[in-house]
Amino acid sequence: MKKLVIVLLACMATFSSCGPEIYQSASFATVKEKHKVVAILPFDVTIESRKLPKGVTADMILDQQRDYGYGIQSDVYGYFLKQMSKYKYTVTFQDVTKTNATLNDAGLSYDELRLKSKDELCALLGVDAVVSGKASMTKPMSDGAAIAVGLLVGAWGPTNTVMTTITIHESEKGDLLWKYDYMASGSIGSNRQSLTNTLMKNSSKKFPYKKS
């Protein structure tokens, strides 16, 4: 019974966090007046694990990183859509389906995105700026059946720590205009949506396209 209680508490735990670090370019207030459409790129996700469970390969981790990268991109877009319906932003956001189709047509894979400058990506996507981000997970975060696997083999431990960053780069020179760093930690029951919701709930308070 004691073990069952511990497992249930672990699965129910939510994210805790450390205070964010924020950078904003001095020119942003002027530059953003020209911005109309912003694209959201797939997030660059890194999953760090010293020891992989039996049956889990490095390629499987790479696949999970890519899935999380596109998943977080979609979650962030969904969050922005809800806020746009409340007329909270001065810009609109390009549909991520169009963004990803354009990147795919240009022959850019998930791993190749990090090799392209932000001004090149803006030009390719036909937008005024791009929102991008990174997430570095110290232990794999799992959903559904994978949670049970993690609990059974005990390879991932009871917690996850995730360092996340959201940035905005403008189209003309690819300059960094805004950067938000955030650290979240949660139980093995935490999923991708929990991470994104926590990140966006906090970063949206300082999001620079927000109407005053």
Side-chain angles (χ1 to χ4, degrees), residues 41-60:
L41 299 176
F43 271 51
D44 184 0
V45 175
T46 301
I47 298 174
E48 301 174 2
S49 182
R50 295 180 181 178
K51 183 180 179 180
L52 297 178
K54 183 178 180 180
V56 176
T57 66
D59 285 340
M60 292 169 67

mmCIF file with all atom_site columns, all heavy atoms in Angstrom, residues 41-60:
data_model
loop_
_atom_site.group_PDB
_atom_site.id
_atom_site.type_symbol
_atom_site.label_atom_id
_atom_site.label_alt_id
_atom_site.label_comp_id
_atom_site.label_asym_id
_atom_site.label_entity_id
_atom_site.label_seq_id
_atom_site.pdbx_PDB_ins_code
_atom_site.Cartn_x
_atom_site.Cartn_y
_atom_site.Cartn_z
_atom_site.occupancy
_atom_site.B_iso_or_equiv
_atom_site.pdbx_formal_charge
_atom_site.auth_seq_id
_atom_site.auth_comp_id
_atom_site.auth_asym_id
_atom_site.auth_atom_id
_atom_site.pdbx_PDB_model_num
ATOM 1   N N   . LEU A 1 41 ? 8.687  27.920 -34.899 1.00 0.00 ? 41 LEU A N   1
ATOM 2   C CA  . LEU A 1 41 ? 9.499  26.803 -35.375 1.00 0.00 ? 41 LEU A CA  1
ATOM 3   C C   . LEU A 1 41 ? 9.389  25.612 -34.419 1.00 0.00 ? 41 LEU A C   1
ATOM 4   O O   . LEU A 1 41 ? 9.065  25.789 -33.241 1.00 0.00 ? 41 LEU A O   1
ATOM 5   C CB  . LEU A 1 41 ? 10.966 27.229 -35.475 1.00 0.00 ? 41 LEU A CB  1
ATOM 6   C CG  . LEU A 1 41 ? 11.290 28.379 -36.424 1.00 0.00 ? 41 LEU A CG  1
ATOM 7   C CD1 . LEU A 1 41 ? 12.778 28.730 -36.324 1.00 0.00 ? 41 LEU A CD1 1
ATOM 8   C CD2 . LEU A 1 41 ? 10.921 28.021 -37.863 1.00 0.00 ? 41 LEU A CD2 1
ATOM 9   N N   . PRO A 1 42 ? 9.665  24.406 -34.920 1.00 0.00 ? 42 PRO A N   1
ATOM 10  C CA  . PRO A 1 42 ? 9.743  23.248 -34.007 1.00 0.00 ? 42 PRO A CA  1
ATOM 11  C C   . PRO A 1 42 ? 10.808 23.513 -32.950 1.00 0.00 ? 42 PRO A C   1
ATOM 12  O O   . PRO A 1 42 ? 11.858 24.077 -33.247 1.00 0.00 ? 42 PRO A O   1
ATOM 13  C CB  . PRO A 1 42 ? 10.158 22.101 -34.941 1.00 0.00 ? 42 PRO A CB  1
ATOM 14  C CG  . PRO A 1 42 ? 9.706  22.536 -36.301 1.00 0.00 ? 42 PRO A CG  1
ATOM 15  C CD  . PRO A 1 42 ? 9.885  24.019 -36.330 1.00 0.00 ? 42 PRO A CD  1
ATOM 16  N N   . PHE A 1 43 ? 10.535 23.115 -31.722 1.00 0.00 ? 43 PHE A N   1
ATOM 17  C CA  . PHE A 1 43 ? 11.502 23.338 -30.646 1.00 0.00 ? 43 PHE A CA  1
ATOM 18  C C   . PHE A 1 43 ? 12.672 22.370 -30.772 1.00 0.00 ? 43 PHE A C   1
ATOM 19  O O   . PHE A 1 43 ? 12.524 21.230 -31.210 1.00 0.00 ? 43 PHE A O   1
ATOM 20  C CB  . PHE A 1 43 ? 10.823 23.163 -29.289 1.00 0.00 ? 43 PHE A CB  1
ATOM 21  C CG  . PHE A 1 43 ? 10.210 24.428 -28.745 1.00 0.00 ? 43 PHE A CG  1
ATOM 22  C CD1 . PHE A 1 43 ? 9.347  25.198 -29.513 1.00 0.00 ? 43 PHE A CD1 1
ATOM 23  C CD2 . PHE A 1 43 ? 10.501 24.859 -27.456 1.00 0.00 ? 43 PHE A CD2 1
ATOM 24  C CE1 . PHE A 1 43 ? 8.782  26.356 -29.030 1.00 0.00 ? 43 PHE A CE1 1
ATOM 25  C CE2 . PHE A 1 43 ? 9.936  26.025 -26.956 1.00 0.00 ? 43 PHE A CE2 1
ATOM 26  C CZ  . PHE A 1 43 ? 9.073  26.780 -27.735 1.00 0.00 ? 43 PHE A CZ  1
ATOM 27  N N   . ASP A 1 44 ? 13.842 22.845 -30.387 1.00 0.00 ? 44 ASP A N   1
ATOM 28  C CA  . ASP A 1 44 ? 15.055 22.036 -30.371 1.00 0.00 ? 44 ASP A CA  1
ATOM 29  C C   . ASP A 1 44 ? 15.116 21.326 -29.018 1.00 0.00 ? 44 ASP A C   1
ATOM 30  O O   . ASP A 1 44 ? 15.402 21.943 -27.996 1.00 0.00 ? 44 ASP A O   1
ATOM 31  C CB  . ASP A 1 44 ? 16.266 22.952 -30.561 1.00 0.00 ? 44 ASP A CB  1
ATOM 32  C CG  . ASP A 1 44 ? 17.570 22.182 -30.663 1.00 0.00 ? 44 ASP A CG  1
ATOM 33  O OD1 . ASP A 1 44 ? 17.540 20.936 -30.586 1.00 0.00 ? 44 ASP A OD1 1
ATOM 34  O OD2 . ASP A 1 44 ? 18.632 22.826 -30.806 1.00 0.00 ? 44 ASP A OD2 1
ATOM 35  N N   . VAL A 1 45 ? 14.834 20.031 -29.007 1.00 0.00 ? 45 VAL A N   1
ATOM 36  C CA  . VAL A 1 45 ? 14.721 19.277 -27.759 1.00 0.00 ? 45 VAL A CA  1
ATOM 37  C C   . VAL A 1 45 ? 15.907 18.336 -27.580 1.00 0.00 ? 45 VAL A C   1
ATOM 38  O O   . VAL A 1 45 ? 16.313 17.638 -28.505 1.00 0.00 ? 45 VAL A O   1
ATOM 39  C CB  . VAL A 1 45 ? 13.405 18.463 -27.731 1.00 0.00 ? 45 VAL A CB  1
ATOM 40  C CG1 . VAL A 1 45 ? 13.338 17.592 -26.482 1.00 0.00 ? 45 VAL A CG1 1
ATOM 41  C CG2 . VAL A 1 45 ? 12.206 19.403 -27.786 1.00 0.00 ? 45 VAL A CG2 1
ATOM 42  N N   . THR A 1 46 ? 16.447 18.341 -26.370 1.00 0.00 ? 46 THR A N   1
ATOM 43  C CA  . THR A 1 46 ? 17.527 17.425 -26.011 1.00 0.00 ? 46 THR A CA  1
ATOM 44  C C   . THR A 1 46 ? 17.118 16.646 -24.779 1.00 0.00 ? 46 THR A C   1
ATOM 45  O O   . THR A 1 46 ? 16.717 17.232 -23.770 1.00 0.00 ? 46 THR A O   1
ATOM 46  C CB  . THR A 1 46 ? 18.831 18.190 -25.705 1.00 0.00 ? 46 THR A CB  1
ATOM 47  O OG1 . THR A 1 46 ? 19.208 18.956 -26.840 1.00 0.00 ? 46 THR A OG1 1
ATOM 48  C CG2 . THR A 1 46 ? 19.951 17.220 -25.366 1.00 0.00 ? 46 THR A CG2 1
ATOM 49  N N   . ILE A 1 47 ? 17.193 15.332 -24.860 1.00 0.00 ? 47 ILE A N   1
ATOM 50  C CA  . ILE A 1 47 ? 16.881 14.466 -23.729 1.00 0.00 ? 47 ILE A CA  1
ATOM 51  C C   . ILE A 1 47 ? 18.179 13.815 -23.259 1.00 0.00 ? 47 ILE A C   1
ATOM 52  O O   . ILE A 1 47 ? 18.822 13.085 -24.002 1.00 0.00 ? 47 ILE A O   1
ATOM 53  C CB  . ILE A 1 47 ? 15.864 13.378 -24.108 1.00 0.00 ? 47 ILE A CB  1
ATOM 54  C CG1 . ILE A 1 47 ? 14.530 14.013 -24.534 1.00 0.00 ? 47 ILE A CG1 1
ATOM 55  C CG2 . ILE A 1 47 ? 15.641 12.413 -22.957 1.00 0.00 ? 47 ILE A CG2 1
ATOM 56  C CD1 . ILE A 1 47 ? 13.517 13.024 -25.049 1.00 0.00 ? 47 ILE A CD1 1
ATOM 57  N N   . GLU A 1 48 ? 18.565 14.128 -22.038 1.00 0.00 ? 48 GLU A N   1
ATOM 58  C CA  . GLU A 1 48 ? 19.814 13.616 -21.490 1.00 0.00 ? 48 GLU A CA  1
ATOM 59  C C   . GLU A 1 48 ? 19.528 12.470 -20.527 1.00 0.00 ? 48 GLU A C   1
ATOM 60  O O   . GLU A 1 48 ? 18.712 12.601 -19.628 1.00 0.00 ? 48 GLU A O   1
ATOM 61  C CB  . GLU A 1 48 ? 20.562 14.732 -20.761 1.00 0.00 ? 48 GLU A CB  1
ATOM 62  C CG  . GLU A 1 48 ? 20.899 15.921 -21.658 1.00 0.00 ? 48 GLU A CG  1
ATOM 63  C CD  . GLU A 1 48 ? 21.505 17.072 -20.890 1.00 0.00 ? 48 GLU A CD  1
ATOM 64  O OE1 . GLU A 1 48 ? 21.692 16.916 -19.657 1.00 0.00 ? 48 GLU A OE1 1
ATOM 65  O OE2 . GLU A 1 48 ? 21.771 18.114 -21.497 1.00 0.00 ? 48 GLU A OE2 1
ATOM 66  N N   . SER A 1 49 ? 20.209 11.375 -20.726 1.00 0.00 ? 49 SER A N   1
ATOM 67  C CA  . SER A 1 49 ? 20.047 10.228 -19.837 1.00 0.00 ? 49 SER A CA  1
ATOM 68  C C   . SER A 1 49 ? 21.365 9.473  -19.765 1.00 0.00 ? 49 SER A C   1
ATOM 69  O O   . SER A 1 49 ? 21.935 9.118  -20.794 1.00 0.00 ? 49 SER A O   1
ATOM 70  C CB  . SER A 1 49 ? 18.948 9.300  -20.362 1.00 0.00 ? 49 SER A CB  1
ATOM 71  O OG  . SER A 1 49 ? 18.756 8.219  -19.485 1.00 0.00 ? 49 SER A OG  1
ATOM 72  N N   . ARG A 1 50 ? 21.857 9.282  -18.551 1.00 0.00 ? 50 ARG A N   1
ATOM 73  C CA  . ARG A 1 50 ? 23.139 8.583  -18.394 1.00 0.00 ? 50 ARG A CA  1
ATOM 74  C C   . ARG A 1 50 ? 23.036 7.101  -18.726 1.00 0.00 ? 50 ARG A C   1
ATOM 75  O O   . ARG A 1 50 ? 23.986 6.484  -19.177 1.00 0.00 ? 50 ARG A O   1
ATOM 76  C CB  . ARG A 1 50 ? 23.636 8.756  -16.954 1.00 0.00 ? 50 ARG A CB  1
ATOM 77  C CG  . ARG A 1 50 ? 23.965 10.199 -16.595 1.00 0.00 ? 50 ARG A CG  1
ATOM 78  C CD  . ARG A 1 50 ? 24.448 10.290 -15.155 1.00 0.00 ? 50 ARG A CD  1
ATOM 79  N NE  . ARG A 1 50 ? 24.753 11.668 -14.792 1.00 0.00 ? 50 ARG A NE  1
ATOM 80  C CZ  . ARG A 1 50 ? 25.164 12.039 -13.577 1.00 0.00 ? 50 ARG A CZ  1
ATOM 81  N NH1 . ARG A 1 50 ? 25.320 11.121 -12.629 1.00 0.00 ? 50 ARG A NH1 1
ATOM 82  N NH2 . ARG A 1 50 ? 25.408 13.310 -13.326 1.00 0.00 ? 50 ARG A NH2 1
ATOM 83  N N   . LYS A 1 51 ? 21.877 6.556  -18.472 1.00 0.00 ? 51 LYS A N   1
ATOM 84  C CA  . LYS A 1 51 ? 21.684 5.121  -18.711 1.00 0.00 ? 51 LYS A CA  1
ATOM 85  C C   . LYS A 1 51 ? 20.318 4.882  -19.302 1.00 0.00 ? 51 LYS A C   1
ATOM 86  O O   . LYS A 1 51 ? 19.312 5.269  -18.729 1.00 0.00 ? 51 LYS A O   1
ATOM 87  C CB  . LYS A 1 51 ? 21.840 4.341  -17.404 1.00 0.00 ? 51 LYS A CB  1
ATOM 88  C CG  . LYS A 1 51 ? 21.734 2.830  -17.587 1.00 0.00 ? 51 LYS A CG  1
ATOM 89  C CD  . LYS A 1 51 ? 21.904 2.122  -16.257 1.00 0.00 ? 51 LYS A CD  1
ATOM 90  C CE  . LYS A 1 51 ? 21.786 0.611  -16.420 1.00 0.00 ? 51 LYS A CE  1
ATOM 91  N NZ  . LYS A 1 51 ? 21.940 -0.099 -15.123 1.00 0.00 ? 51 LYS A NZ  1
ATOM 92  N N   . LEU A 1 52 ? 20.283 4.250  -20.460 1.00 0.00 ? 52 LEU A N   1
ATOM 93  C CA  . LEU A 1 52 ? 19.017 3.950  -21.114 1.00 0.00 ? 52 LEU A CA  1
ATOM 94  C C   . LEU A 1 52 ? 18.476 2.610  -20.636 1.00 0.00 ? 52 LEU A C   1
ATOM 95  O O   . LEU A 1 52 ? 19.238 1.670  -20.427 1.00 0.00 ? 52 LEU A O   1
ATOM 96  C CB  . LEU A 1 52 ? 19.200 3.904  -22.632 1.00 0.00 ? 52 LEU A CB  1
ATOM 97  C CG  . LEU A 1 52 ? 19.631 5.204  -23.307 1.00 0.00 ? 52 LEU A CG  1
ATOM 98  C CD1 . LEU A 1 52 ? 19.808 4.973  -24.806 1.00 0.00 ? 52 LEU A CD1 1
ATOM 99  C CD2 . LEU A 1 52 ? 18.606 6.303  -23.065 1.00 0.00 ? 52 LEU A CD2 1
ATOM 100 N N   . PRO A 1 53 ? 17.159 2.522  -20.465 1.00 0.00 ? 53 PRO A N   1
ATOM 101 C CA  . PRO A 1 53 ? 16.554 1.244  -20.078 1.00 0.00 ? 53 PRO A CA  1
ATOM 102 C C   . PRO A 1 53 ? 16.808 0.183  -21.150 1.00 0.00 ? 53 PRO A C   1
ATOM 103 O O   . PRO A 1 53 ? 17.021 0.507  -22.320 1.00 0.00 ? 53 PRO A O   1
ATOM 104 C CB  . PRO A 1 53 ? 15.058 1.574  -19.975 1.00 0.00 ? 53 PRO A CB  1
ATOM 105 C CG  . PRO A 1 53 ? 14.990 3.056  -19.839 1.00 0.00 ? 53 PRO A CG  1
ATOM 106 C CD  . PRO A 1 53 ? 16.166 3.586  -20.608 1.00 0.00 ? 53 PRO A CD  1
ATOM 107 N N   . LYS A 1 54 ? 16.762 -1.058 -20.767 1.00 0.00 ? 54 LYS A N   1
ATOM 108 C CA  . LYS A 1 54 ? 16.928 -2.151 -21.714 1.00 0.00 ? 54 LYS A CA  1
ATOM 109 C C   . LYS A 1 54 ? 15.852 -2.059 -22.788 1.00 0.00 ? 54 LYS A C   1
ATOM 110 O O   . LYS A 1 54 ? 14.673 -1.875 -22.486 1.00 0.00 ? 54 LYS A O   1
ATOM 111 C CB  . LYS A 1 54 ? 16.833 -3.490 -20.983 1.00 0.00 ? 54 LYS A CB  1
ATOM 112 C CG  . LYS A 1 54 ? 17.077 -4.692 -21.886 1.00 0.00 ? 54 LYS A CG  1
ATOM 113 C CD  . LYS A 1 54 ? 17.010 -5.992 -21.095 1.00 0.00 ? 54 LYS A CD  1
ATOM 114 C CE  . LYS A 1 54 ? 17.244 -7.206 -21.990 1.00 0.00 ? 54 LYS A CE  1
ATOM 115 N NZ  . LYS A 1 54 ? 17.174 -8.480 -21.232 1.00 0.00 ? 54 LYS A NZ  1
ATOM 116 N N   . GLY A 1 55 ? 16.270 -2.161 -24.036 1.00 0.00 ? 55 GLY A N   1
ATOM 117 C CA  . GLY A 1 55 ? 15.321 -2.093 -25.139 1.00 0.00 ? 55 GLY A CA  1
ATOM 118 C C   . GLY A 1 55 ? 15.152 -0.697 -25.712 1.00 0.00 ? 55 GLY A C   1
ATOM 119 O O   . GLY A 1 55 ? 14.498 -0.530 -26.741 1.00 0.00 ? 55 GLY A O   1
ATOM 120 N N   . VAL A 1 56 ? 15.724 0.298  -25.029 1.00 0.00 ? 56 VAL A N   1
ATOM 121 C CA  . VAL A 1 56 ? 15.645 1.672  -25.522 1.00 0.00 ? 56 VAL A CA  1
ATOM 122 C C   . VAL A 1 56 ? 16.970 2.041  -26.166 1.00 0.00 ? 56 VAL A C   1
ATOM 123 O O   . VAL A 1 56 ? 18.032 1.930  -25.547 1.00 0.00 ? 56 VAL A O   1
ATOM 124 C CB  . VAL A 1 56 ? 15.330 2.662  -24.381 1.00 0.00 ? 56 VAL A CB  1
ATOM 125 C CG1 . VAL A 1 56 ? 15.339 4.095  -24.890 1.00 0.00 ? 56 VAL A CG1 1
ATOM 126 C CG2 . VAL A 1 56 ? 13.983 2.333  -23.758 1.00 0.00 ? 56 VAL A CG2 1
ATOM 127 N N   . THR A 1 57 ? 16.933 2.455  -27.434 1.00 0.00 ? 57 THR A N   1
ATOM 128 C CA  . THR A 1 57 ? 18.148 2.774  -28.173 1.00 0.00 ? 57 THR A CA  1
ATOM 129 C C   . THR A 1 57 ? 18.317 4.281  -28.324 1.00 0.00 ? 57 THR A C   1
ATOM 130 O O   . THR A 1 57 ? 17.383 5.059  -28.083 1.00 0.00 ? 57 THR A O   1
ATOM 131 C CB  . THR A 1 57 ? 18.113 2.147  -29.579 1.00 0.00 ? 57 THR A CB  1
ATOM 132 O OG1 . THR A 1 57 ? 17.061 2.779  -30.340 1.00 0.00 ? 57 THR A OG1 1
ATOM 133 C CG2 . THR A 1 57 ? 17.868 0.648  -29.507 1.00 0.00 ? 57 THR A CG2 1
ATOM 134 N N   . ALA A 1 58 ? 19.510 4.680  -28.737 1.00 0.00 ? 58 ALA A N   1
ATOM 135 C CA  . ALA A 1 58 ? 19.788 6.104  -28.965 1.00 0.00 ? 58 ALA A CA  1
ATOM 136 C C   . ALA A 1 58 ? 18.880 6.647  -30.059 1.00 0.00 ? 58 ALA A C   1
ATOM 137 O O   . ALA A 1 58 ? 18.434 7.801  -29.988 1.00 0.00 ? 58 ALA A O   1
ATOM 138 C CB  . ALA A 1 58 ? 21.254 6.288  -29.354 1.00 0.00 ? 58 ALA A CB  1
ATOM 139 N N   . ASP A 1 59 ? 18.588 5.820  -31.070 1.00 0.00 ? 59 ASP A N   1
ATOM 140 C CA  . ASP A 1 59 ? 17.696 6.261  -32.153 1.00 0.00 ? 59 ASP A CA  1
ATOM 141 C C   . ASP A 1 59 ? 16.285 6.520  -31.634 1.00 0.00 ? 59 ASP A C   1
ATOM 142 O O   . ASP A 1 59 ? 15.605 7.438  -32.106 1.00 0.00 ? 59 ASP A O   1
ATOM 143 C CB  . ASP A 1 59 ? 17.645 5.207  -33.265 1.00 0.00 ? 59 ASP A CB  1
ATOM 144 C CG  . ASP A 1 59 ? 18.908 5.208  -34.124 1.00 0.00 ? 59 ASP A CG  1
ATOM 145 O OD1 . ASP A 1 59 ? 19.634 6.230  -34.106 1.00 0.00 ? 59 ASP A OD1 1
ATOM 146 O OD2 . ASP A 1 59 ? 19.157 4.204  -34.812 1.00 0.00 ? 59 ASP A OD2 1
ATOM 147 N N   . MET A 1 60 ? 15.851 5.728  -30.681 1.00 0.00 ? 60 MET A N   1
ATOM 148 C CA  . MET A 1 60 ? 14.526 5.936  -30.093 1.00 0.00 ? 60 MET A CA  1
ATOM 149 C C   . MET A 1 60 ? 14.473 7.264  -29.337 1.00 0.00 ? 60 MET A C   1
ATOM 150 O O   . MET A 1 60 ? 13.469 7.974  -29.375 1.00 0.00 ? 60 MET A O   1
ATOM 151 C CB  . MET A 1 60 ? 14.176 4.765  -29.164 1.00 0.00 ? 60 MET A CB  1
ATOM 152 C CG  . MET A 1 60 ? 13.945 3.450  -29.890 1.00 0.00 ? 60 MET A CG  1
ATOM 153 S SD  . MET A 1 60 ? 13.858 2.013  -28.788 1.00 0.00 ? 60 MET A SD  1
ATOM 154 C CE  . MET A 1 60 ? 12.339 2.355  -27.913 1.00 0.00 ? 60 MET A CE  1
#
